[in-house]
Amino acid sequence: MKVVSITILRTSPSTEPIPISMACDLTSYGFFQRQGVKEMLTFFSKTFTKRTEPGQRQSISHESYVVHCYVRSDGLAGSVTTDAEYPPRVAFVLLTQLLDEFLSTTGTTSWKSMAPLTESTSFPPLEDYIVKYQDPASADKVTKIQNDLEETTQILHKTIDSVLERGVKLDSLVEKSDDLSRQSKMFYKQAKKTNSCCVIS
């Protein structure tokens, strides 16, 4: 799971979306490929954001990547490009938090007059977000809880399996036990016979 780029854009119904800040993690690409990949990511962000209605979120798949777009009702937009395995819910949490932080930092209307993206324009927290959200489980509490539950379920299955494997040894322990009365031993044997005839597979 990987976040490749995050872009903040300014949108309006009459013009093309304008990127005003962008961060990319292009370490998996060769040095000479990076500029072309960055231009393609900018193109995808602009194209898919233009086709997202204000107040909506959408995810668009292209080859092995997914572009997650969110356009706020005020025209501020964001896009996150990830690999296909990245959870969409986490991508939209990232966008919501990022755009809220962007608005609180720049002001509610000053972003409307910001210059288009150049090498000198940047929003420093973008770099933090792209690093933080590389691992969705550590960045998002719900995903972390879900992963912990899956891990606990696997441990429980292993524990139940190991108890079942020791079932034969449990029989011999019951036979050898002095603490159990004859009646308890008979009940155990009878229950085991009853359960063995009714196995459902």
Side-chain angles (χ1 to χ4, degrees):
M1 290 185 261
K2 182 175 176 66
V3 175
V4 181
S5 75
I6 305 172
T7 310
I8 299 174
L9 304 101
R10 180 174 71 222
T11 65
S12 71
S14 60
T15 62
E16 290 284 319
I18 300 169
I20 50 180
S21 193
M22 183 178 192
C24 299
D25 180 4
L26 303 176
T27 54
S28 60
Y29 298 97
F31 180 77
F32 295 108
Q33 296 174 319
R34 292 180 184 173
Q35 186 60 36
V37 170
K38 189 173 182 178
E39 289 171 4
M40 189 59 75
L41 292 169
T42 304
F43 173 76
F44 287 155
S45 295
K46 289 171 62 174
T47 303
F48 298 143
T49 300
K50 181 179 181 180
R51 287 161 175 76
T52 304
E53 294 295 319
Q56 290 190 341
R57 304 165 198 262
Q58 69 175 345
S59 298
I60 300 100
S61 298
H62 178 70
E63 294 178 4
S64 60
Y65 295 99
V66 180
V67 180
H68 307 278
C69 298
Y70 171 41
V71 179
R72 293 169 44 109
S73 55
D74 60 5
L76 184 63
S79 73
V80 177
T81 305
T82 66
D83 62 8
E85 298 164 3
Y86 200 87
R89 197 187 69 69
V90 179
F92 289 119
V93 167
L94 180 161
L95 283 172
T96 303
Q97 290 178 352
L98 174 68
L99 295 178
D100 288 345
E101 184 176 343
F102 184 77
L103 277 179
S104 67
T105 304
T106 61
T108 54
T109 57
S110 64
W111 61 270
K112 292 180 180 181
S113 61
M114 289 180 83
L117 178 67
T118 63
E119 294 300 319
S120 62
T121 59
S122 69
F123 179 59
L126 266 180
E127 298 296 332
D128 299 335
Y129 275 88
I130 203 163
V131 170
K132 177 182 175 185
Y133 278 88
Q134 289 302 332
D135 179 16
S138 67
D140 181 52
K141 292 177 184 174
V142 174
T143 304
K144 183 178 182 345
I145 290 169
Q146 187 175 5
N147 288 347
D148 290 347
L149 285 173
E150 288 173 5
E151 186 177 309
T152 303
T153 304
Q154 289 174 354
I155 290 170
L156 285 175
H157 285 299
K158 288 178 187 175
T159 304
I160 291 169
D161 289 342
S162 62
V163 167
L164 294 176
E165 289 170 7
R166 288 184 271 172
V168 177
K169 295 177 187 174
L170 188 61
D171 291 342
S172 63
L173 287 175
V174 168
E175 284 296 323
K176 294 177 184 176
S177 174
D178 294 332
D179 295 336
L180 295 174
S181 68
R182 279 186 183 201
Q183 193 173 7
S184 297
K185 289 180 184 179
M186 289 298 290
F187 175 77
Y188 176 78
K189 288 180 183 179
Q190 190 62 35
K192 188 165 179 156
K193 284 180 188 176
T194 304
N195 288 339
S196 68
C197 75
C198 302
V199 175
I200 299 173
S201 55

